[in-house]
Amino acid sequence: SMLRQPLVTRGELWLKGETLLYVLTNTAGEKELTVRLDKQTLQIYYPLLNTLEVIDLQTTGTLPQSLAFWQADPEALARDYEVDIWQAAGLHTLRLIPRDTRVSLQELRLVLRAFQPQELMQVEKNGTRMRMHITTFTMNPEISEAQLDLHVPAGTRVTHPLQ
């Protein structure tokens, strides 16, 4: 079998209230993916493919398991996930395993040092792994609504994959 090369990207994740903006750039410095999530809509923009996917959460009513984690309140986390937390070498690790066996997500792990996120790891049942090293974390910065806007150039193809 052939070893697959890990895909290496850099990114920024902005969270304000119930709005999340996630921007990934590839090693060449090009924006590869922007995800904007709020209570109503999940928008996924692929600049290199000139495509914007729009998912209306009011009609589909479901979030991908890994995104639902960012929106969950503590009661919902305990209801939807098996939650483990342990400490070793100055790090706290939070492990979430979805209770719903039908989802593709196997587990999410968030590693914290002094309550600052250091790493997020996502493992899918098909073996796909995503590891995010968090190099800079700022709590409660002043973020304007405009900073969370998704800017898509005119002529971008818009698709609605779940309709």
Side-chain angles (χ1 to χ4, degrees), residues 21-134:
L21 184 71
Y22 181 48
V23 182
L24 280 185
T25 40
N26 61 24
T27 48
E30 303 166 300
K31 279 190 184 174
E32 210 163 73
L33 173 74
T34 302
V35 176
R36 188 183 188 282
L37 169 68
D38 59 35
K39 272 283 191 237
Q40 286 80 40
T41 314
L42 172 62
Q43 298 174 82
I44 306 166
Y45 175 49
Y46 305 91
L48 304 178
L49 301 175
N50 193 36
T51 300
L52 173 68
E53 290 181 355
V54 179
I55 297 170
D56 181 350
L57 301 175
Q58 305 303 302
T59 55
T60 63
T62 56
L63 273 176
Q65 244 349 89
S66 53
L67 288 172
F69 161 73
W70 295 106
Q71 295 248 339
D73 57 58
E75 291 79 27
L77 273 185
R79 184 189 66 230
D80 298 339
Y81 298 89
E82 218 174 279
V83 181
D84 278 329
I85 194 160
W86 65 88
Q87 185 180 357
L91 298 174
H92 285 85
T93 301
L94 172 69
R95 181 175 65 182
L96 302 171
I97 299 172
R99 294 187 189 277
D100 184 347
T101 55
R102 297 165 302 177
V103 301
S104 62
L105 180 69
Q106 183 174 313
E107 73 174 56
L108 266 179
R109 287 185 188 211
L110 181 63
V111 179
L112 304 152
R113 179 187 304 279
F115 303 104
Q116 299 282 311
Q118 303 292 302
E119 185 176 280
L120 178 69
M121 194 169 86
Q122 180 177 323
V123 181
E124 300 288 330
K125 289 178 182 156
N126 68 7
T128 301
R129 288 170 177 266
M130 192 235 5
R131 173 176 271 139
M132 186 188 303
H133 296 281
I134 301 164

